[in-house]
């Protein structure tokens, strides 16, 4: 069992930045060979893919809506995956979830790909 925990959410003005963190307890992300994904869910909307990174860090993926503004990276020594969010927009407001799973090039953006999910962290961008 992998326990995933997100942190780093908060309130920021449009154009500002936030960095989200995702850690795993009980087992490390590297030991289980899983990649990590970030998803978000706004009120009344479905959960949507934001970004993902394979366990080695050699491959990253982004949705079109965040490409060029968000960066995903990992520090395996700290067993942590980060999502650096720059140039935030009000439409980025959502609960952000970190998840872990076996990533493949044709399914990294699917909710069902991921086996373990965190509780989420709120990101609010004011206009």
């Amino acid at each position: 069992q992998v326990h995933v925990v997100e942190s780093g959410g908060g309130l920021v003005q449009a154009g500002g930045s936030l960095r989200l963190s995702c850690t795993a307890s009980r087992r490390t992300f590297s030991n289980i060979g899983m990649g990590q994904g970030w998803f978000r869910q706004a009120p009344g909307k479905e959960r949507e893919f934001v970004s993902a990174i394979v366990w080695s860090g050699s491959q990253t993926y982004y949705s079109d809506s965040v490409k060029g503004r968000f960066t995903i990276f990992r520090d395996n020594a700290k067993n942590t995956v980060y999502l650096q969010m720059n140039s935030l927009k009000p439409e980025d407001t959502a609960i952000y979830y970190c998840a872990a799973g076996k990533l493949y090039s044709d399914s990294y953006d699917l909710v069902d790909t991921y086996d373990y999910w965190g509780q989420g962290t709120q990101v609010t961008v004011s206009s």
Side-chain angles (χ1 to χ4, degrees):
Q1 186 71 16
V2 178
H3 186 214
V4 178
V5 179
E6 308 96 336
S7 62
L11 172 64
V12 64
Q13 288 188 330
S17 298
L18 281 175
R19 177 178 290 185
L20 305 183
S21 300
C22 173
T23 61
S25 63
R26 301 198 183 107
R27 300 180 70 186
T28 66
F29 287 139
S30 296
N31 285 347
I32 58 180
M34 285 187 169
Q36 282 71 51
W38 286 96
F39 287 74
R40 66 187 182 187
Q41 188 165 18
K45 295 187 177 181
E46 292 186 354
R47 193 167 296 191
E48 66 171 358
F49 170 76
V50 175
S51 182
I53 186 169
V54 298
W55 74 270
S56 67
S58 62
Q59 185 67 55
T60 58
Y61 305 95
Y62 298 94
S63 68
D64 288 342
S65 62
V66 307
K67 197 172 296 181
R69 299 188 298 123
F70 291 10
T71 302
I72 190 170
F73 59 101
R74 66 189 308 136
D75 184 342
N76 287 338
K78 296 182 178 179
N79 194 37
T80 302
V81 173
Y82 302 93
L83 185 68
Q84 178 67 41
M85 306 185 296
N86 298 330
S87 302
L88 283 162
K89 304 175 181 179
E91 51 263 44
D92 293 319
T93 295
I95 298 174
Y96 282 69
Y97 297 90
C98 180
K102 290 283 190 180
L103 300 192
Y104 298 96
S105 60
D106 60 348
S107 61
Y108 59 84
D109 57 343
L110 303 178
V111 170
D112 289 344
T113 291
Y114 298 85
D115 301 305
Y116 304 101
W117 292 80
Q119 293 299 308
T121 184
Q122 176 71 47
V123 171
T124 302
V125 184
S126 63
S127 58

